[in-house]
């Protein structure tokens, strides 16, 4: 008998909760998803350096030149949370998917545009290996590409 009472009590509470919520008027924000108070989408840019556990002097150079350029030239954007620097080891199991995601075959610098937590575009900075022996050209290339990527509307 107590089992029936318990089931009936749960049923009554569920019914009452559903009925009450159905009778409440919608607020302006829930009725109209695009309101005057709508929060703008959050956009950020991630500068990734993809590497492996085995690294040569050239790999370290790419990391150092890119990291230095990003942290010096985009310090305000980093502080504001608009730009992030991330090193990712693709030898680690949880990062293997990046090899397919970005079609990586060597150490690489990738720019990623993230809107509301989802990547909407990316760009492989494929000239890093060509410019490796000229630090100024390398760093100028990184800065120029990041700035242009941030200006693009996708």
């Amino acid at each position: 008998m107590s089992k029936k009472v318990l089931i009936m009590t749960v049923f009554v509470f569920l019914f009452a909760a559903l009925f009450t919520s159905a009778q409440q008027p919608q607020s302006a924000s829930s009725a109209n998803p695009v309101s005057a108070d709508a929060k703008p989408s959050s956009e950020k840019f991630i500068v990734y350096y993809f590497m492996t556990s085995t690294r040569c002097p050239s790999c370290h150079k790419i990391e150092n030149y890119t990291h230095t350029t990003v942290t010096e030239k985009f310090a305000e954007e980093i502080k504001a949370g608009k730009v992030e620097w991330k090193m990712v080891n693709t030898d680690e199991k949880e990062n293997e998917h990046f090899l397919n995601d970005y079609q990586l075959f060597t150490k690489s610098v990738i720019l990623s545009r993230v809107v509301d937590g989802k990547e909407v575009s990316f760009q492989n900075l494929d000239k890093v290996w060509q410019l490796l022996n000229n630090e100024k050209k390398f760093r100028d290339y990184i800065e120029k590409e990041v700035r242009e990527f941030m200006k693009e509307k996708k």
Side-chain angles (χ1 to χ4, degrees):
M1 182 77 159
S2 65
K3 200 177 212 183
K4 280 185 178 182
V5 172
L6 180 62
I7 292 172
M8 288 300 286
T9 305
V10 170
F11 178 73
V12 169
F13 279 115
L14 286 174
F15 180 75
L18 288 172
F19 182 77
T20 305
S21 67
Q23 295 299 317
Q24 292 177 352
Q26 284 187 320
S27 68
S29 62
S30 65
N32 182 3
V34 181
S35 68
D37 297 331
K39 187 178 177 182
S41 64
S42 70
E43 179 180 56
K44 72 176 177 179
F45 300 89
I46 303 172
V47 180
Y48 285 107
Y49 173 57
F50 290 99
M51 53 147 188
T52 61
S53 299
T54 305
R55 300 173 65 202
C56 65
S58 294
C59 299
H60 286 284
K61 260 188 182 179
I62 292 172
E63 174 195 337
N64 292 333
Y65 291 172
T66 305
H67 180 257
T68 302
T69 302
V70 170
T71 55
E72 287 178 2
K73 301 295 183 176
F74 300 94
E76 289 301 314
E77 292 88 343
I78 291 170
K79 189 175 180 181
K82 182 129 174 116
V83 171
E84 290 182 23
W85 160 257
K86 291 187 179 182
M87 288 180 52
V88 178
N89 185 340
T90 57
D91 282 346
E92 295 175 2
K93 186 81 172 151
E94 66 271 15
N95 297 326
E96 287 178 356
H97 68 93
F98 288 112
L99 297 171
N100 289 326
D101 295 349
Y102 298 126
Q103 297 298 300
L104 302 176
F105 60 91
T106 188
K107 282 68 167 185
S108 302
V109 176
I110 300 285
L111 306 179
S112 173
R113 177 187 317 276
V114 177
V115 177
D116 296 330
K118 294 186 179 186
E119 182 177 70
V120 295
S121 64
F122 71 90
Q123 178 181 339
N124 187 339
L125 300 188
D126 54 4
K127 293 183 183 171
V128 293
W129 286 96
Q130 294 169 318
L131 299 172
L132 190 56
N133 291 322
N134 186 324
E135 182 178 358
K136 180 173 177 10
K137 285 184 179 179
F138 184 103
R139 292 186 59 180
D140 288 347
Y141 169 69
I142 295 291
E143 180 182 7
K144 176 181 168 279
E145 293 299 316
V146 172
R147 291 202 187 281
E148 287 179 6
F149 189 73
M150 289 174 67
K151 286 180 187 175
E152 293 174 11
K153 292 295 177 196
K154 297 278 176 170

